[in-house]
Amino acid sequence: AAGKKKKKKMTVDRRLSAPFPDQDDSKPFLVVLTICNVILALAALGLCGSGLYCLLLAQDVKGTIELLTDMPLVMVAYIIMLLGAISAVACFAGFYGAYTENDKHRRIGLYSFLFFVFSSFLILLCMSIFLYLYGTKQVLNDIVKDTWFEEGQQPLQKRLDYQDYFKCCGWETPFDSRASGYNTPCPRSNPEACLDATLDFFEANFLPLSLFGLVLGVCQFLAVVATVLVLRIKKKMFDDFETFEF
């Protein structure tokens, strides 16, 4: 008994250890997280480019169609384009946080990713819903219908500009603005009503951006949830003290 060596006990603080207890086990997860951040960053850049296209289109509409000046398409396109750029930067921060071996840099990258992506997700969700609603009959009627059926030379010119831009006639029907008092000519044969032509225009140009923003927002939300789970696991490891006997 006297010859037996006395066992020593050592307490290890996990806060002084590597970010994960078994680095080999954590690598597959980090690889997946890195790939997801790269994909989200590319999608965010795509959203930024789509927002730029819609911005140019919205500026053209605003400069040509006075009846649609109350519709804040330009502002929404600016915000979506900016959110795409911010989301891309945040995803690159998340990519760096998942890729780096430095624990401090990992925390900074992942927390930055969480803050910017979650903030962008909330605003992007709102802007995408707004953009989707702008292309509905109810919203278009609220914005255009009353001013469409005004009398006078200036309202007549506004209707003519609208019809020339969308290649349409009338508002709800091709003939509803030819009546006395409106006297809006229509040189087209078998034209489409301007309400339907505007809906088609929004569906072709702004609806894809809206759906793209919604899908990207959902993916960002899932990425935020996954990152929060990683950080919760990491925090649990920080609070874990293990005792080894030698």
Side-chain angles (χ1 to χ4, degrees), residues 63-238:
T64 308
I65 311 300
E66 290 188 48
L67 291 175
L68 291 177
T69 53
D70 291 337
M71 186 175 288
L73 293 174
V74 174
M75 180 194 70
V76 173
Y78 263 123
I79 294 175
I80 290 180
M81 184 177 65
L82 181 61
L83 290 175
I86 294 175
S87 298
V89 173
C91 289
F92 280 117
F95 162 77
Y96 177 74
Y99 179 79
T100 183
E101 298 290 340
N102 187 295
D103 188 28
K104 181 179 180 181
H105 291 175
R106 173 174 287 138
R107 287 198 302 270
I108 294 174
L110 293 180
Y111 281 131
S112 300
F113 170 79
L114 273 179
F115 174 77
F116 287 108
V117 169
F118 186 71
S119 301
S120 300
F121 157 72
L122 294 177
I123 304 174
L124 180 60
L125 189 64
C126 294
M127 293 299 103
S128 297
I129 293 174
F130 289 158
L131 193 60
Y132 175 80
L133 292 177
Y134 289 154
T136 61
K137 284 187 177 182
Q138 180 179 353
V139 172
L140 288 173
N141 279 323
D142 291 341
I143 294 175
V144 178
K145 188 174 181 179
D146 291 339
T147 53
W148 181 277
F149 291 104
E150 292 179 353
E151 298 182 11
Q153 186 61 36
Q154 187 174 2
L156 172 60
Q157 187 59 50
K158 291 179 180 179
R159 287 193 293 271
L160 291 173
D161 292 339
Y162 201 108
Q163 291 183 162
D164 290 340
Y165 190 89
F166 291 108
K167 309 300 183 201
C168 59
C169 289
W171 179 242
E172 292 182 324
T173 69
F175 311 104
D176 57 10
S177 53
R178 297 185 189 182
S180 177
Y182 307 126
N183 300 319
T184 309
C186 181
R188 299 169 185 86
S189 60
N190 194 24
E192 186 179 15
C194 287
L195 175 58
D196 295 331
T198 308
L199 290 173
D200 293 341
F201 175 81
F202 273 87
E203 183 177 349
N205 295 283
F206 292 100
L207 181 61
L209 177 62
S210 173
L211 296 178
F212 188 14
L214 288 173
V215 172
L216 180 59
V218 171
C219 292
Q220 288 178 338
F221 177 76
L222 295 177
V224 166
V225 171
T227 307
V228 168
L229 291 177
V230 173
L231 295 176
R232 284 178 62 87
I233 293 172
K234 183 69 184 297
K235 184 178 184 301
K236 184 179 180 181
M237 289 164 49
F238 279 166

Side-chain angles (χ1 to χ4, degrees), residues 19-41:
F20 295 92
D22 190 338
Q23 201 71 7
D24 292 334
D25 293 340
S26 67
K27 281 184 179 180
F29 178 80
L30 293 178
V31 169
V32 172
L33 188 60
T34 301
I35 294 174
C36 290
N37 275 285
V38 171
I39 294 174
L40 285 176

